Amino acid sequence: MSMMSRRGVLGATAGLAAAGALGHPLARPALAQPRFPNRPLQMIVPWGAGGGTDATARIIAALLEKELGQPVNVVNRTGGSGVVGHSAIAMANPDGYTIGIITVEIAMMHWQGLTELTHANYTPLGLMNRDAPGVQVSASSPYKDIKALAEGIKNSPPGKLKASGTGQGGIWHLALVGWLQAMGLKPDHVRWVPSNGAAPGMQDLVAGGIDIVPCSIPEARAMLDAGRARSLAIMAPERDPQFPDIPTLKESLGVDFQTAVWRGIGGPLKMPAEQVAILTAALERVYKSKEYSDFMKSRGFGMDWADGPGFGKVMAETDAAMGVAMKAAGLTKA
Amino acid sequence: MTDLFEGLRLVLQTDVLIAIAASAVYGLVIGSLPGLSATMATALLVPVTFYLSPIAAVATIITASAMAIFSGDIPGCLLRIPGTPASAAYTDEAYAMTRKGQAELALGTGLWFSAIGGIAGTLSLLIMAPALAEVALNFSSFEYFWLAVLGLMCATLVARSSPVKAIASMLLGLLFSCIGMENPAGTPRFTFGMTDLLGGIEPLPALVGVFAVSQVMRALSEAEPPPLPRRRFGSIMAGQWALTKKYPKPMMRGNIVGIIIGVLPGAGADMAAWVSYALSKRFSKEPQKFGTGHPEGLVESGASNNASLASGWVPALLFGIPGDTITAIAIGVLYMKGLNPGPTLFTERASSMYALYIIFILANIIMIPLGIIMIRVAATVLRAPRASIMPIILLLCAVGAFATGNNLFAVLLVAFFGTLGYVMERNGYPVAALVLGIVMGSMVEQSFVTSLIKSDNSIMPFFDRPISAVLAAITLGALLWPVAAWLIRRMKARAPAVAGASGGHANG
Amino acid sequence: MQLSDRITGSCLVALGGVTVYGALQQPGVPGQDVGPSVFPMVIGLGLMGCGSLVALRIGHSFEAPDDVVPPEPGEVVARPPRFAEWRAFLPPLLLLFYMLAVESLGFLLTAAAISLAVSFTMGARARLALPLAVLAPLGIHAIFVRLLRVPLPDGLLTLPW
């Protein structure tokens, strides 16, 4: 007995020493406020620790902590391809102390029949990030610009060209479908090769296995920097200030198609109006802080802000657009 | 040269050195607890890196992951509960050595050859990262398919059981990997309408269940085994030099195989240890000793395991492609700290790169003294009564499974896999093969299906691409060789035996 | 739970059959020829094949004896306790208990109950089991909640720190 408990205690002390040494030199709240919030908040992340959404949530939580004067604890609730965490946000107690980061998947999952949840189950608090997909080809590809690629796609027999970057019915697959339809082509004119995320897709692009990867530019960035791939256009209303050399689809091709992934903060329905106002104002200050823009720049993530109603509108628009694209691609649950 | 000194200066900062020391202790403690994994140890460090300087931040990730991978061998050796899917390949061997009273030799082997493998992997990163990255970039789904099949075949080579039952276990693992949405259609498959199954079955709850929980179950149903003779725990490092001299070839082979498999994104350390253990058994002069507490396989797979960990950083640093879950987390930290992956990291920021190399080597060197202390502390478990250890292991299983996603469903999965593992083990089905099947399943299916889509349903590219052809030849050779050997033996036996001609006992 | 090869083999054949049936129910993918049914189909057929071989006891001769270290001559091999076979299924049940109870009881109480159940079943005396049931949950709570920041539920018992 004594042996075992000693081991446990030793382990714990060593661990605590490690935590102490690594430290949390974050400013403690200066003033305790009499009104909301007067205890720690919880921020639910529906995706795993270490990924892009997790990192975004953690930087927002750290800055929100400074704004609100209360700790904001990040909790990863993974499982069910994002469904579990998104439900946890929607079903939380609507007292303003549990919020979460909502991702674009909420506009897609219900069309596939995976969950009843839609954007209408949340109180939107603020949009924090938006990334548009680019059209990436390998550096050795014969298509030098988006016009040449569009011509190449139109002149190739259906199914000859292949694209990849996410699973069947994933966001980048829908971006491709939307673009093809905007050009007046069939949704499966370019065949989709399901992959386990954008990174394997980019690798296969460079290895010569596929022709196009329509993933977001931050995901393609390392290969672009390495000179192994080229981004021909971006599916956004205007150029990305971080990548000013990449033209939009509209200016280069005259095709007005745009889509994006986004991340925003939301809470369950029926939150008190006062709490909503305080949180939205704090999020706006977080968004405008230098720390936030420095972080987003370092990751290459696109900045975009909208307040609660604005974020709600973005979610509703995406939801409708995804529904159209998914029906066209035959991905909706009959 | 100036870059090297600049790199050294970057590492020899107080904050970096403190970060290395603290994360080393952290990694060792987390890795040694049954039910917690190296990936989890790394993921939980991410929020801490927010507050560190760039080099210190990367140093914590490198050090903690290397330490946690090694110390995952400790519970495997002492209690037959592997800490990572990688160490599941040789857990039975290490535990057999412990039962023979050679725990210190087994743990020392893990420590010494892990450190050597880690340093060899770092050197490969230093000398030929760009060349290795080219190899990785030439791997398309056709090559991955053969690689995955080769990995699966290791399950039958490693097992000390009926090959039929080993294959059945592996197929069962593959069946579990079918659950979820990660399939060619992107729709729920075999989820029975359960939301929690949409994301599929992670290898970790399965690993914890079939090894840790079923070990507690066995402890409850069997009488206390005869206590090990009470004696002083011997020197951990004695005998390692002798092993190095006795098995230079397996050690080198382990290093090389580890480096190659580690470079390939998606394969990673898990597969490297399995392939190396199987190779070691296949080419050993004494294959019959494998599984009875024989250090040879530990030498090769221990070296391979850590070599692949270092070389897994090659595609991550050059192209931002994660080799495994740990480097996926590391890439996020690199971006956040302005050390953007890409060839420019090697040219324009060469001093930072040298700093990373130095941290890798430093981490593998301090692993030895810290590892010795950790082993000595952990070995007290051998003398503690089982009734005090088993409750703690069961609690760690529950909490560890919960902590990976803060989802109680994982606890249910652990209970399920515990029961399954216990029943399988009692009936001679090797559970390690089940874990390998779960780990490799999505890679097999994904590479096969995407290959067929890309080739418009032609199977020719599986054979006519150069690397693919070589891998196909190795796979088919390994598959057909035992059958051929069996046929030859049978024909020889039928032919009228000439006295004295049956000298060769070489078996397939 | 020692079952005969005939039984486990038949179970595998049945499981393989169910898998093949499940694979046939999978929807096709619009625009793709190779759907989600191919891989489970192969697995199901493989399981049926392996199951039949096991039931016919082919490959049985390769199986190694269970004991890694055979008992020395003269060494007394302890008899397993009575009902031992069924006691093995206590740990999974305790994990289910954890899953159902931890939200309401809180981590410390649930963990203490599990610890007591396991150590008493293994024949520990109260002198060992009681301190363990207090110290083990506290130690694990310290590592996970303080160091790793995992939100374990407090339930009925909230620690002052």
Side-chain angles (χ1 to χ4, degrees), chain A residues 26 76 194 204 221 228, chain B residues 51 134 137 340 406 450 454:
Chain A
L26 219 146
N76 301 87
D204 216 355
R221 191 173 169 197
R228 296 302 183 115
Chain B
Y51 310 109
E134 285 309 318
L137 280 187
N340 293 3
N406 296 318
T450 55
K454 283 191 291 190

Side-chain angles (χ1 to χ4, degrees), chain B residues 54-55 60 131 192 316 386:
Chain B
I55 299 293
T60 53
F192 310 105
R386 282 199 314 175

Side-chain angles (χ1 to χ4, degrees), chain B residues 127-462:
Chain B
I127 299 166
M128 41 186 197
L132 283 172
E134 285 309 318
V135 175
L137 280 187
N138 276 315
F139 260 66
S140 178
S141 54
F142 303 101
E143 285 80 18
Y144 275 114
F145 171 73
W146 290 117
L147 197 68
V149 174
L150 266 178
L152 285 180
M153 286 173 50
C154 295
T156 52
L157 275 172
V158 167
R160 277 181 81 244
S161 173
S162 142
V164 179
K165 287 188 172 176
I167 294 173
S169 301
M170 184 198 79
L171 287 170
L172 204 55
L174 291 179
L175 182 58
F176 283 118
S177 80
C178 287
I179 293 173
M181 287 184 60
E182 288 285 328
N183 63 59
T187 54
R189 180 171 67 184
F190 299 163
T191 56
F192 310 105
M194 290 166 77
T195 302
D196 283 298
L197 285 177
L198 286 177
I201 302 235
E202 299 279 330
L204 195 74
L207 182 81
V208 171
V210 298
F211 282 104
V213 176
S214 71
Q215 186 73 358
V216 179
M217 292 173 75
R218 261 194 300 281
L220 275 171
S221 66
E222 285 165 7
E224 184 116 8
L228 293 174
R230 224 187 149 77
R231 62 189 171 82
R232 248 183 70 88
F233 204 61
S235 166
I236 291 164
M237 278 300 131
Q240 299 311 329
W241 185 240
L243 279 181
T244 315
K245 277 195 296 187
K246 190 171 172 199
Y247 298 119
K249 248 201 227 160
M251 183 187 85
M252 282 314 294
R253 199 164 51 212
N255 284 334
I256 293 169
V257 167
I259 288 167
I260 295 174
I261 294 185
V263 162
L264 304 171
D270 292 349
M271 202 174 139
W274 281 89
V275 171
S276 284
Y277 187 78
L279 275 178
S280 183
K281 185 173 179 184
R282 182 69 191 74
F283 289 105
S284 171
K285 292 195 188 82
E286 322 165 284
Q288 74 283 2
K289 283 194 185 168
F290 274 68
T292 62
H294 182 59
E296 190 177 348
L298 295 184
V299 169
E300 184 155 348
S301 45
S304 168
N305 198 345
N306 277 49
S308 71
L309 191 67
S311 69
W313 282 69
V314 170
L317 289 171
L318 268 168
F319 303 112
I321 297 176
D324 52 23
T325 43
I326 291 174
T327 44
I329 296 167
I331 289 172
V333 173
L334 286 171
Y335 269 123
M336 211 159 62
K337 294 296 175 187
L339 294 166
N340 293 3
T344 48
L345 189 60
F346 288 74
T347 50
E348 286 167 24
R349 311 205 49 173
S351 56
S352 300
M353 276 309 297
Y354 279 109
L356 295 195
Y357 297 141
I358 295 167
I359 291 165
F360 262 113
I361 293 185
L362 211 58
N364 280 295
I365 291 173
I366 61 168
M367 182 196 282
I368 291 179
L370 289 178
I372 290 177
I373 297 172
M374 189 70 212
I375 290 173
R376 291 214 171 274
V377 174
T380 52
V381 157
L382 287 180
R383 274 174 282 163
R386 282 199 314 175
S388 68
I389 295 174
M390 293 304 157
I392 296 179
I393 292 176
L394 191 64
L395 289 177
L396 284 172
C397 291
V399 181
F402 172 74
T404 48
N406 296 318
N407 191 341
L408 278 171
F409 183 72
V411 181
L412 181 68
L413 276 184
V414 166
F416 168 76
F417 277 105
T419 315
L420 180 71
Y422 176 77
V423 174
M424 282 173 66
E425 189 92 63
R426 287 303 291 268
N427 292 293
Y429 291 86
V431 290
L434 177 88
V435 173
L436 187 71
I438 295 177
V439 171
M440 303 292 302
S442 65
M443 184 167 157
V444 180
E445 177 174 25
Q446 192 112 35
S447 58
F448 181 66
V449 172
T450 55
S451 298
L452 283 182
I453 294 176
K454 283 191 291 190
S455 67
D456 297 315
N457 298 333
S458 155
I459 57 163
M460 274 322 284
F462 284 107

